[in-house]
Amino acid sequence: MAEQRRDQRDGRDAGEGAQHVPEGWGRGALPEEAHAWEALVATARRTVSDGLVVGTSGNVSVRVGDIVLVTPSGVPYDRLTPHDITGVDLDGWRLLGTLVPTSELPMHLAVYRTTDARAVVHTHAVHATAVSTLVPELPAIHYMAGALGGPVRVAPYATYGSDELAENMLRALTDRTACLLRNHGTMAYGATLDQAYDRTAQLEWMCHLWLTASSVPGMSPHLLSREQVDEAGEKLRGYGQQR
């Protein structure tokens, strides 16, 4: 089996996605992976209950060692069970489970390969998606932009699941922990699932805030300077209980 896997790896084109992963084989989950899967499913369900996702129009992943656990394609989150665990390596080869990973796997893997991310959340949140169609960068409406590394950029549109979209996203994420995807949604990462989720929710809130303030006839919202956002970002690094 190991020799077969190496042969399959060598014959695989670099741009191939999750739909090309061999079917029906993989090892059993380790306890740490099973625990991480449980947390991933809870986070995925939260994106739906909090209104950031409709149906299966988003995806969540978490890294455990060199394995990326990710929501499978087209399966409602409320139907996921421990037996549905889906995991791939950093090249996209499936190691856990038999379900096909999300079609957005290239974006998730691109984040893990180029950052210190341990978790990624992608949504089609309505206010964030609306903003992505209007501006190249979310205006600095609130100092919490500093918590994401600075003004949030909008990645140019590309077809979902494509390498082009992953590349556009990476450029928008330079020195940031979240970005918008034009006519598509949000992408955020963090050291934990909770942090990645919180950054996603914060981005959606800021987009909602800007759209609300901008809708007042005859008025334009006051925006913060880059210096003010950077100052807030520095201060936010020490926010909360330090351990």
Side-chain angles (χ1 to χ4, degrees), residues 12-70:
R12 182 183 182 223
D13 292 335
E16 288 182 333
Q19 63 271 29
H20 300 290
V21 178
E23 295 289 340
W25 59 284
R27 63 170 174 79
L30 301 175
E32 182 182 10
E33 293 162 346
H35 178 73
W37 176 254
E38 182 180 351
L40 179 150
V41 171
T43 301
R45 289 173 178 169
R46 188 179 176 191
T47 65
V48 177
S49 63
D50 288 355
L52 300 177
V53 161
V54 176
T56 62
S57 62
N59 27 79
V60 178
S61 67
V62 63
R63 182 173 178 176
V64 182
D66 289 330
I67 300 296
V68 175
L69 306 180
V70 62

Side-chain angles (χ1 to χ4, degrees), residues 10-197:
D10 293 341
R12 182 183 182 223
D13 292 335
E16 288 182 333
Q19 63 271 29
H20 300 290
V21 178
E23 295 289 340
W25 59 284
R27 63 170 174 79
L30 301 175
E32 182 182 10
E33 293 162 346
H35 178 73
W37 176 254
E38 182 180 351
L40 179 150
V41 171
T43 301
R45 289 173 178 169
R46 188 179 176 191
T47 65
V48 177
S49 63
D50 288 355
L52 300 177
V53 161
V54 176
T56 62
S57 62
N59 27 79
V60 178
S61 67
V62 63
R63 182 173 178 176
V64 182
D66 289 330
I67 300 296
V68 175
L69 306 180
V70 62
T71 48
S73 178
V75 180
Y77 301 143
D78 61 355
R79 298 182 188 174
L80 290 175
T81 73
H83 300 292
D84 296 319
I85 188 169
T86 304
V88 302
D89 65 16
L90 292 175
D91 292 323
W93 287 91
R94 187 163 64 228
L95 302 179
L96 294 173
T98 59
L99 297 179
V100 176
T102 172
S103 59
E104 298 291 11
L105 184 61
M107 280 203 299
H108 289 258
L109 294 181
V111 173
Y112 291 118
R113 291 188 193 116
T114 57
T115 73
D116 60 357
R118 306 304 294 183
V120 174
V121 174
H122 165 55
T123 79
H124 294 179
V126 63
H127 299 100
T129 304
V131 170
S132 78
T133 71
L134 298 172
V135 292
E137 181 178 278
L138 174 63
I141 191 71
H142 196 275
Y143 67 79
M144 282 303 293
L148 304 179
V152 178
R153 306 183 188 101
V154 179
Y157 179 80
T159 304
Y160 78 92
S162 66
D163 290 335
E164 181 184 4
L165 178 58
E167 292 166 2
N168 292 348
M169 173 208 65
L170 283 181
R171 285 192 291 271
L173 279 177
T174 301
D175 299 322
R176 303 288 188 271
T177 55
C179 72
L180 298 173
L181 308 171
R182 177 155 292 141
N183 297 88
H184 189 151
T186 70
M187 200 69 173
Y189 70 87
T192 64
L193 281 164
D194 283 344
Q195 187 178 60
Y197 180 86

